[in-house]
Amino acid sequence: MSSSIGPRLRRRWQLLGGSRGGRWLFSLGLARSVPYTGTLGARVQLLEPGHCIVTLRDRRRVRNHLHSVHAMALANLGELATGLALLSGLPQGMRGILTGYRIDYLKKARGCLHAECRCAVPAAVAAQAWQVDGEIRNAAAEVVARVSASWQLGPERAA
């Protein structure tokens, strides 16, 4: 079995992503393997190489004193969507590490939120910098935040 993240994510999504319960299980497994991000309670709705949609329910645990979704919850949601879109497309033998992140908050985020990322994915295993952008929208499809993640990609190192 491959230890590369891209092939593992694709296999697990192919196994579980076709049903609501499977998507819930996939999201639960992701939450267990990435504990900090798991505290958010986000659900992966769509995952394919270079494309990801993640949802977040608006609830007290992710709110701030202004009764909107906290800025860091939005940042975490955007990083999750951009990271999954990129990492799910990585070829065998390649890994990535987040090296920078930017988020622009455009309006208060309330209600169910959808973070989406569409990005190109590298075809060859080579050291390179990679930029990935995404948006977070509310239920009315208004953009509440834009995110940009910088990644350093390269070959996996032998253990």
Side-chain angles (χ1 to χ4, degrees):
M1 182 177 204
S2 166
S3 65
S4 296
I5 188 75
R8 277 187 301 153
L9 280 171
R10 290 190 297 272
R11 268 194 309 279
R12 289 180 184 158
W13 184 256
Q14 287 170 351
L15 179 66
L16 299 170
S19 69
R20 183 177 177 167
R23 289 188 297 274
W24 178 82
L25 282 172
F26 180 89
S27 298
L28 183 63
L30 186 64
R32 289 181 186 251
S33 64
V34 188
Y36 176 75
T37 297
T39 64
L40 194 58
R43 297 286 180 250
V44 180
Q45 301 300 321
L46 181 142
L47 181 61
E48 54 192 39
H51 188 202
C52 182
I53 299 175
V54 182
T55 59
L56 178 66
R57 289 184 309 111
D58 184 349
R59 58 200 193 287
R60 187 177 191 286
R61 128 178 299 181
V62 296
R63 285 187 159 233
N64 59 26
H65 65 289
L66 301 173
H67 306 291
S68 59
V69 176
H70 194 282
M72 289 301 103
L74 288 172
N76 196 343
L77 183 66
E79 193 271 330
L80 178 60
T82 57
L84 284 173
L86 176 62
L87 295 175
S88 70
L90 291 182
Q92 175 70 31
M94 185 174 239
R95 68 180 182 158
I97 186 165
L98 186 69
T99 59
Y101 189 78
R102 176 187 166 95
I103 183 165
D104 294 314
Y105 302 102
L106 306 175
K107 66 182 303 177
K108 286 182 183 176
R110 294 190 171 120
C112 186
L113 302 174
H114 306 274
E116 183 170 13
C117 175
R118 290 180 188 269
C119 65
V121 293
V125 177
Q128 56 197 297
W130 208 263
Q131 190 73 31
V132 182
D133 300 316
E135 291 182 333
I136 303 171
R137 295 178 180 270
N138 61 21
E142 300 167 313
V143 177
V144 298
R146 286 196 176 91
V147 300
S148 184
S150 301
W151 289 80
Q152 183 61 44
L153 305 176
E156 290 182 335
R157 294 188 184 161

